[in-house]
């Protein structure tokens, strides 16, 4: 079983704060790294699909970076809003096989 | 609207009974996946299928079975051999291409007593 780790496990921030979390994955046989947002009572939704070392993706106030050589990705949220409260999941796909390996997620709570 | 439908949302069964969870997608996706979530753990892969009439075991396939007779459908049967079946089950699908994300259903919460 392949190990994908996310930190921190949970985070509480004040509205307006910027925050970031980490996803660590094996640096060998890299194919893709996905980020998903999972709000309570909804299904996970894709934020980013990252495939190249050095990739930077941005969607509104959320951005992500990727370092495949050292095996990590950062997700940044600028000026957190209460609607950003969710669990953020990363999923690693390697070049061999068709499985996605998920981290345990980071639970973000933005306090108004 | 295209999407993935899982049914039912909540399911209750007695120990020793088999139960089948439904997953249907109208996104014309090739690949479909079943994941299980337990408290404090990440999503763990049970089974996946890349094409019709073909599927592979994931990391925790013991006590589960699947079929993929149609592209749109990937039902999961939780058998009596699964030791700890109470969990939240998520179905997902994706196109089998380089940068396609997973699309998820809303999940089924199974409780076995």
């Amino acid at each position: 079983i392949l190990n994908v780790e996310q930190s921190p496990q949970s985070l509480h921030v004040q509205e307006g704060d910027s925050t970031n979390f980490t996803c660590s994955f094996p640096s060998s046989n890299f194919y893709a790294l996905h980020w998903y947002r999972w709000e309570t009572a909804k299904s996970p939704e894709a934020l980013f699909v990252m495939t190249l070392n050095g990739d930077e993706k941005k969607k509104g106030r959320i951005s992500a970076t990727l370092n495949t050589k050292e095996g990590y990705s950062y997700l940044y949220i600028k000026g957190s809003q209460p609607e950003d409260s969710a669990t953020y999941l990363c999923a690693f796909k390697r070049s061999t096989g068709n499985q996605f390996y998920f981290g345990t997620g980071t639970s973000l709570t933005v306090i108004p | 609207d295209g999407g993935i439908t899982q049914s039912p949302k909540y399911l209750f069964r007695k120990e020793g009974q088999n139960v089948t969870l439904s997953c249907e997608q109208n996104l014309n996706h090739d690949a479909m996946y079943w994941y299980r979530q337990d408290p404090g753990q990440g999503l763990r892969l049970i089974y996946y299928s890349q094409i019709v009439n073909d599927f592979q075991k994931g990391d925790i396939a013991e006590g589960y079975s699947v079929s993929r007779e149609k592209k749109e459908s990937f039902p999961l049967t939780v058998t009596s051999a699964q030791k700890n079946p109470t969990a939240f089950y998520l179905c997902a699908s994706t196109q089998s291409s380089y940068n396609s994300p997973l699309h998820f259903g809303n999940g089924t919460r199974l409780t076995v007593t």
Side-chain angles (χ1 to χ4, degrees):
Chain A
I1 294 180
L2 192 146
N3 204 31
V4 177
E5 295 184 352
Q6 289 188 247
S7 62
Q9 189 172 0
S10 66
L11 200 51
H12 290 73
V13 301
Q14 291 292 136
E15 182 175 352
D17 287 351
S18 294
T19 187
N20 65 86
F21 8 100
T22 306
C23 174
S24 301
F25 51 86
S27 55
S28 59
N29 300 317
F30 177 86
Y31 189 79
L33 192 284
H34 295 203
W35 281 101
Y36 294 87
R37 174 167 59 202
W38 194 357
E39 296 177 70
T40 303
K42 294 186 178 180
S43 53
E45 289 185 343
L47 288 171
F48 305 114
V49 176
M50 309 182 80
T51 54
L52 298 173
N53 185 43
D55 249 356
E56 292 187 23
K57 302 263 185 177
K58 188 174 180 182
K59 184 184 289 188
R61 294 178 290 98
I62 304 177
S63 60
T65 61
L66 179 68
N67 184 324
T68 62
K69 296 193 184 309
E70 295 183 40
Y72 64 83
S73 176
Y74 294 137
L75 189 78
Y76 301 91
I77 302 179
K78 186 177 177 182
S80 302
Q81 299 297 307
E83 58 265 32
D84 296 328
S85 296
T87 296
Y88 292 82
L89 299 173
C90 68
F92 168 75
K93 188 175 184 183
R94 58 187 178 187
S95 54
T96 54
N98 293 297
Q99 297 191 36
F100 291 87
Y101 297 90
F102 282 83
T104 52
T106 293
S107 174
L108 173 67
T109 303
V110 181
I111 303 163
Chain B
D1 284 341
I4 299 182
T5 302
Q6 287 187 244
S7 60
K9 189 173 181 179
Y10 298 97
L11 194 51
F12 297 87
R13 280 292 183 271
K14 294 287 188 187
E15 197 173 319
Q17 293 179 335
N18 291 356
V19 59
T20 297
L21 281 59
S22 168
C23 178
E24 305 277 331
Q25 54 100 357
N26 60 4
L27 299 166
N28 199 33
H29 284 170
D30 300 312
M32 296 186 75
Y33 301 79
W34 272 106
Y35 290 94
R36 168 181 171 141
Q37 188 195 35
D38 295 282
Q41 298 204 41
L43 297 177
R44 293 185 293 165
L45 183 65
I46 305 172
Y47 267 98
Y48 66 103
S49 168
Q50 296 296 116
I51 55 172
V52 173
N53 292 324
D54 188 42
F55 46 83
Q56 287 79 41
K57 292 181 180 180
D59 297 322
I60 56 164
E62 186 175 348
Y64 299 98
S65 66
V66 293
S67 63
R68 186 86 187 274
E69 297 176 2
K70 298 185 299 182
K71 189 175 186 177
E72 305 80 33
S73 179
F74 191 40
L76 173 75
T77 297
V78 185
T79 75
S80 56
Q82 166 49 232
K83 290 182 173 43
N84 296 296
T86 294
F88 183 72
Y89 292 86
L90 263 181
C91 180
S93 71
T94 186
Q95 278 291 32
S96 297
S97 66
Y98 185 54
N99 58 0
S100 296
L102 289 165
H103 294 253
F104 289 88
N106 284 324
T108 293
R109 184 165 298 281
L110 173 65
T111 302
V112 177
T113 56

